Amino acid sequence: SGHPTNVILLVADATGTLPLVSKLNREQVIYHFVAGFTSKMAGTEVGVTEPQMVFSACYGEPFLMWHPLKYATMLADKLQKHNADAWLLNTGWIGDSGKRCPIKYTRALIDGIHAGTLKNAPTGTDKVFG
């Protein structure tokens, strides 16, 4: 049909607050897309020596012509129309370990999302994020 079955929002949470992977409902995908939370990491941008938390609406705020909520609602509508799932994938710190998620785990999570094995995996509701 030419439409994705999964949309993955990549974040790099240097605080260790976000779980490694979350399946998002409509309200959550709108919230996370509008917030555009991530972290600038040392070695990824000139002058960044320590992780810096940043927010950029829709992960591209300087380039938005409309209000971020319009883009987020359009995304949520497209996900619903095409029966696609939304995921938040954290490539940043694992809890309070001070260590970044190894790329092999990130790749395995992406593979699991695309293969459909995570779609029906047992889940729990996060006390903070729902």
Side-chain angles (χ1 to χ4, degrees), residues 14 39-54 93:
S39 301
K40 293 180 181 180
M41 301 292 200
T44 61
E45 295 191 35
V46 175
V48 176
T49 57
E50 296 285 328
Q52 301 172 5
M53 281 58 72
V54 294
W93 277 212

Side-chain angles (χ1 to χ4, degrees), residues 7-127:
V7 171
I8 302 170
L9 305 179
L10 288 175
V11 299
D13 174 18
T15 68
T17 303
L18 294 173
L20 287 179
V21 65
S22 302
K23 188 168 184 278
L24 305 176
N25 63 29
R26 179 182 175 85
E27 291 77 22
Q28 291 167 327
V29 77
I30 290 172
Y31 171 82
H32 285 287
F33 194 62
V34 167
F37 171 74
T38 194
S39 301
K40 293 180 181 180
M41 301 292 200
T44 61
E45 295 191 35
V46 175
V48 176
T49 57
E50 296 285 328
Q52 301 172 5
M53 281 58 72
V54 294
F55 293 86
S56 179
C58 306
Y59 302 99
E61 188 169 8
F63 308 103
L64 302 181
M65 295 188 61
W66 297 315
H67 190 279
L69 193 54
K70 180 171 184 164
Y71 294 101
T73 303
M74 287 175 18
L75 173 61
D77 290 346
K78 294 283 186 184
L79 290 167
Q80 184 176 359
K81 179 179 178 181
H82 299 290
N83 198 30
D85 291 315
W87 303 83
L88 186 71
L89 184 63
N90 178 14
T91 64
W93 277 212
I94 301 171
D96 60 0
S97 70
K99 295 182 181 176
R100 201 154 179 202
C101 180
I103 191 72
K104 68 179 181 178
Y105 295 152
T106 299
R107 287 181 179 142
L109 289 167
I110 291 171
D111 289 345
I113 289 169
H114 288 306
T117 54
L118 288 184
K119 183 173 184 158
N120 298 312
T123 61
T125 301
D126 188 273
K127 291 183 280 186

